[in-house]
Amino acid sequence: MKHPSSAIIRSTSHRRLAPQRGFTLIELMIVVAIIGILAGVAIPQYQDYIARSQFSEGMTLASGQKVAVSEVFASSGNCPSNASAAAGGVPAASGISGSYVAKVTTGGKASDAGGCTITANFKGSGVAKALASKKLTLSMTNADGGSVIWKCESSVAKKYLPQACSPLTEAPTDDATAAG
């Protein structure tokens, strides 16, 4: 009679080893490197996209005040100032805000050509770094030419601006005079 353990040994020795399946370490490292390169390109592009989309909120809120400012200017020749309270159909500056915009102020110095301004002030936090505490200013021009044109300028870097807007050459002084 044969010992039972020899049967176990014999039965396992007849099995063939299956070929190993899976990825080698080199293949996995190449995949990780490719993902790293793609992430290195995609993340900054996505952050730029987020900043541009947040900028559009400022443009929308500021543009919403164009009609009221134009009407006040056309009827009285003055630029409504909403820094401390509602004026000429324009809500108070603190009442015009959004997720990324702290307030929208109106003001400026009226002239024959226009001179009224609408300024959207972006929040200091909770907004893309590129927009934090920056400004978007719409300036009324060509009022004496028969049709009002709104010029858009901003302290935000050019790559975040829509084509209709240009970078500011100097910081606006309306807030400095209103604060003082």
Side-chain angles (χ1 to χ4, degrees), residues 8-97:
I8 295 172
I9 293 173
R10 221 178 301 139
S11 65
T12 58
S13 64
H14 291 295
R15 280 195 282 171
R16 290 191 162 206
L17 294 175
Q20 290 187 1
R21 296 181 186 174
F23 298 104
T24 65
L25 181 60
I26 292 288
E27 291 170 333
L28 291 174
M29 289 174 64
I30 290 170
V31 168
V32 169
I34 290 170
I35 291 171
I37 291 168
L38 291 174
V41 172
I43 290 172
Q45 290 299 321
Y46 182 69
Q47 290 171 337
D48 290 353
Y49 167 77
I50 294 295
R52 286 191 302 271
S53 67
Q54 291 175 354
F55 185 87
S56 71
E57 179 186 76
M59 183 66 109
T60 301
L61 290 172
S63 294
Q65 307 314 309
K66 287 179 182 178
V67 172
V69 171
S70 296
E71 286 180 0
V72 170
F73 180 79
S75 65
S76 69
N78 295 317
C79 298
S81 175
N82 71 342
S84 58
V90 179
S94 59
I96 309 170
S97 62

Side-chain angles (χ1 to χ4, degrees), residues 153-154 166-171:
E153 295 180 309
S154 180
S166 60
L168 278 174
T169 52
E170 59 186 4

